[in-house]
Amino acid sequence: MKIAVISGKGGVGKSSISTSLAKLFSKEFSIVALDCDVDAPNFNLMFDVKDKKLLEVIYRELYKINENCVKCGKCLDICQFDAIEDFKINPILCEGCGACELICEFNAIEPVKHESGYIYEGFIGFPLIWGELEIGESGSGKIIEHIKRHAKKYKAEIELIDGPPGVGCPLISTVKDVDLALCIVEPTKSSVNDCLRLIETLNFFDVEYLVVENKKGMNAINYPFKIFHSIPFDFDVPKLIANKILLCDSNSRVSEAIKELYEKLKEFI
Ligand code: SF4
Ligand code: SF4
């Protein structure tokens, strides 16, 4: 079963809940954890992974101008991304569309491979696979596809995915083949609005979901959707996270609530 823990925006406690769920699941099931929040992976930090193994380098195709260039300027005109300046291609702005290569009559533009991200593996009592996108790079959806491919080798009963925040391409890559999405929301107007957009996206892709409220009691709010489970607000949570203590391992009511969530989730397996 593939379960993705996602949120409409960052900072609502998605990763602190997913790391605890991974640990709880690992006690009763074979599990592989996937950190698909490739812009800011933190699963490996929470579990303090020491020996990480590089599984794959992800490349994207870029272009460069070579010495055949006669400076006719045609490539500058065709580039929709203003990536060519002084007859040099800026790798940050280049989207790799290849239009410049097609327009150049002098074979002065050639493709080059550019490292855009990495996929790692570590063992934290169970396997963890995560991706890291290079700073300034795009293409998180592609990296997520590769993380999922690597996870398949474990044939685990549970694939627990820490997804990216938001509703863009990385989210769609994350949820498109999951069995269940857990949408984490906190009692703030902006989080509720983001969660509504998330639900709209999940409905569009026909993904089954449950909404989990985190930080219950922080604010009074009426949710326009059904809450499956609530985890209370607790001032000690930031301290626990800073000390790399998983919430499920703490001696707190948050821990109890996460364990209750885990028990309720087991009914879906
Ligand atoms: S189209 Fe080719 S020859 Fe013309 S400026 Fe660009 S690289 Fe140089
Ligand atoms: S590949 Fe596309 S985006 Fe990159 S420089 Fe050429 S035209 Fe511009």
Side-chain angles (χ1 to χ4, degrees), residues 99-111:
C100 52
E101 188 192 23
L102 283 175
I103 200 91
C104 179
E105 296 159 28
F106 300 91
N107 287 329
I109 298 187
E110 55 186 290

Side-chain angles (χ1 to χ4, degrees), residues 16-27:
S16 46
I17 293 171
S18 63
T19 46
S20 284
L21 286 178
K23 179 146 184 206
L24 292 168
F25 271 115
S26 73
K27 290 178 181 168

Side-chain angles (χ1 to χ4, degrees), residues 117-189:
Y118 309 92
I119 296 176
Y120 295 101
E121 180 178 58
F123 286 87
I124 49 179
F126 49 90
L128 164 67
I129 299 174
W130 74 96
E132 286 178 13
L133 196 63
E134 273 283 359
I135 293 165
E137 287 295 325
S138 56
S140 24
K142 183 178 170 187
I143 297 191
I144 290 166
E145 290 295 330
H146 285 244
I147 294 173
K148 287 181 163 184
R149 211 192 60 216
H150 284 288
K152 276 190 187 150
K153 69 187 172 206
Y154 288 106
K155 296 185 171 61
E157 289 169 293
I158 303 288
E159 286 188 17
L160 197 285
I161 304 170
D162 187 18
V167 292
C169 154
L171 183 270
I172 293 161
S173 300
T174 300
V175 298
K176 66 179 187 193
D177 59 350
V178 301
D179 301 295
L180 183 64
L182 284 191
C183 308
I184 311 300
V185 66
E186 65 178 16
T188 60
K189 254 189 192 169

Side-chain angles (χ1 to χ4, degrees), residues 19 22 33-35 41-55 119-132 154 244 246:
T19 46
L34 289 66
D35 191 343
N42 55 11
F43 226 96
N44 61 314
L45 302 176
M46 273 309 285
F47 280 92
D48 209 9
V49 176
K50 296 275 189 286
D51 295 318
K52 64 178 187 182
K53 176 177 157 195
L54 178 66
L55 290 181
I119 296 176
Y120 295 101
E121 180 178 58
F123 286 87
I124 49 179
F126 49 90
L128 164 67
I129 299 174
W130 74 96
E132 286 178 13
Y154 288 106
K244 295 183 180 168
L246 295 188

Side-chain angles (χ1 to χ4, degrees), residues 181 183-185 195 199 209-213 225-229:
C183 308
I184 311 300
V185 66
C195 192
I199 288 171
Y209 66 86
L210 299 165
V211 182
V212 174
E213 178 194 28
F225 35 70
K226 192 174 163 221
I227 298 291
F228 172 70
H229 188 73

